[in-house]
Amino acid sequence: MRYSLGSTGKRLCSRSVWQAVRPSVPHRPVATFHGYHGNQSHTSSHNAVLRTVGVLLAASTLAEEKEEEEVRSPCYREEDPSPEQLAPLDKLYDEMKFEELEEALAQFEHLRSAEVLWRRARCQWELIKIGKLNGQSKYSATSVAFSLAEQALEVDERNAAAHRWRAILSNGLTQAKGIKAQLNDLPNMKEHLLRAVELDPNDATALTLLGQWAIELKEMAWYQRKIVNTLFGGVPHTTYEEVVEYCERAENVAPGAWNRNLFLLGCAYTRLGNRPRARCYLERTLKAPIRTQDDQKVADEAESFYRKEFPGPL
């Protein structure tokens, strides 16, 4: 979803950040699969009727073992490819060799593995962005990618990367359905991003996207705000402080990894009146390396914003 940056009249992103979610430095498996495992599962436990003391003791023991297992959070399940098998896949992604990645992932299509499924969803999205649709419409191809992310969560709800990609792809899917569908999906998007960060506090991409989510709502155009008020009873409350919190956390995890995160901090600090911090982050945005088309667009927007807020030579 695209919103203008307040009085500047400039869009924070010339295309949806969700379409361009590919930071310069990808995030590696931290505690479990690729990204976010930790804490506790949202899956509700089933209530059983315990008829004997022995069963009660057994259930108690199993509950303790389950809790310990969640704390340990093993990196890979038996049906997942090994880290050694996944590393070349991530290398191809880092190198933006998406067609080669698609071929490499094909060898794992028979596995019902969350690690494979979210990587297939990610690859599909990158191919969509460069127009490799294999004869499908963009909507159909995006539906396939979204389905893969959902399947990954069905296999392992505690897979943080699957939550992140579910959020990204749901936004891509609702874009084709119109603004009402996009606005209706906003709570779900945030829910999955928050779950991703809960499972992996070091997921800098999810943190940046939460910051983007917050500033997009804060800077929502008046006509969009009117639609939200009419259809949903109001816009979720967000603040620039919230943007700063998420994006500073992302910066602490992966300093300078994504120029969009730096730009968001520059914009938020500008709105909060902290011009020294704003100038620092905007200048860092302009000095950040350009690796993708999205990086270039962010750099162009940052330069325009900088010249407006801080006239004079760069």
Side-chain angles (χ1 to χ4, degrees):
M1 191 176 300
R2 307 173 188 176
Y3 303 116
S4 57
L5 256 177
S7 60
T8 68
K10 290 294 295 178
R11 294 185 184 279
L12 187 57
C13 45
S14 55
R15 59 174 172 153
S16 172
V17 65
W18 311 90
Q19 292 180 339
V21 185
R22 190 183 182 284
S24 302
V25 179
H27 306 292
R28 294 288 181 235
V30 178
T32 39
F33 65 96
H34 181 288
Y36 358 3
H37 265 178
N39 298 351
Q40 297 178 350
S41 169
H42 287 313
T43 305
S44 300
S45 59
H46 297 290
N47 294 321
V49 179
L50 303 179
R51 300 181 182 279
T52 65
V53 173
V55 173
L56 281 167
L57 292 173
S60 176
T61 301
L62 287 172
E64 292 174 0
E65 291 176 352
K66 184 175 185 294
E67 183 177 356
E68 291 176 1
E69 179 183 353
E70 289 182 348
V71 173
R72 289 195 301 268
S73 192
C75 288
Y76 290 92
R77 293 147 24 117
E78 290 183 3
E79 62 267 44
D80 288 330
S82 68
E84 292 73 21
Q85 290 174 302
L86 292 172
L89 303 177
D90 293 331
K91 185 173 185 293
L92 288 172
Y93 179 79
D94 296 347
E95 295 171 350
M96 301 175 66
K97 297 177 180 178
F98 304 127
E99 292 178 270
E100 292 182 37
L101 175 58
E102 183 180 32
E103 294 178 3
L105 282 166
Q107 66 182 305
F108 301 113
E109 285 184 353
H110 65 286
L111 295 179
R112 186 166 169 77
S113 160
E115 289 299 313
V116 171
L117 287 164
W118 75 254
R119 281 177 170 84
R120 290 176 59 196
R122 177 181 69 173
C123 181
Q124 175 87 350
W125 183 236
E126 297 294 348
L127 290 170
I128 291 168
K129 284 157 52 180
I130 61 175
K132 302 292 183 180
L133 302 176
N134 296 323
Q136 301 179 87
S137 68
K138 183 176 180 180
Y139 180 81
S140 295
T142 305
S143 296
V144 171
F146 177 74
S147 176
L148 289 168
E150 286 207 312
Q151 289 176 52
L153 289 176
E154 289 173 5
V155 173
D156 184 4
E157 189 279 336
R158 297 178 67 245
N159 189 307
H163 279 285
R164 185 206 317 153
W165 281 98
R166 196 276 183 195
I168 293 166
L169 291 164
S170 69
N171 182 263
L173 197 59
T174 56
Q175 283 178 6
K177 298 179 179 179
I179 188 170
K180 181 177 179 180
Q182 284 185 273
L183 294 173
N184 192 49
D185 194 50
L186 284 174
N188 289 329
M189 286 163 47
K190 186 177 184 182
E191 178 184 350
H192 283 282
L193 290 172
L194 287 173
R195 180 63 173 148
V197 172
E198 177 187 4
L199 292 167
D200 178 13
N202 292 324
D203 188 337
T205 302
L207 288 165
T208 296
L209 293 178
L210 283 166
Q212 179 78 35
W213 188 92
I215 203 168
E216 284 184 348
L217 292 182
K218 186 66 178 177
E219 301 283 354
M220 184 178 286
W222 67 268
Y223 65 90
Q224 293 171 323
R225 190 173 294 273
K226 186 175 181 179
I227 293 173
V228 175
N229 288 335
T230 301
L231 296 177
F232 307 111
V235 179
H237 177 71
T238 62
T239 65
Y240 292 117
E241 288 84 358
E242 185 179 354
V243 179
V244 167
E245 178 186 355
Y246 286 130
C247 293
E248 286 283 17
R249 286 173 62 186
E251 194 61 21
N252 288 335
V253 171
W258 198 2
N259 68 349
R260 183 172 295 279
N261 193 71
L262 297 170
F263 185 34
L264 287 169
L265 284 166
C267 292
Y269 277 121
T270 299
R271 298 292 185 241
L272 290 170
N274 191 335
R275 292 182 66 78
R277 294 287 285 175
R279 184 167 193 158
C280 173
Y281 278 114
L282 290 171
E283 290 178 350
R284 287 183 60 192
T285 305
L286 297 175
K287 294 176 182 177
I290 305 297
R291 296 185 176 91
T292 67
Q293 290 182 353
D294 180 64
D295 291 342
Q296 185 61 60
K297 292 189 177 189
V298 170
D300 293 342
E301 292 159 10
E303 181 176 350
S304 177
F305 187 80
Y306 183 92
R307 289 186 182 281
K308 181 177 178 60
E309 295 294 333
F310 300 96
L314 292 175

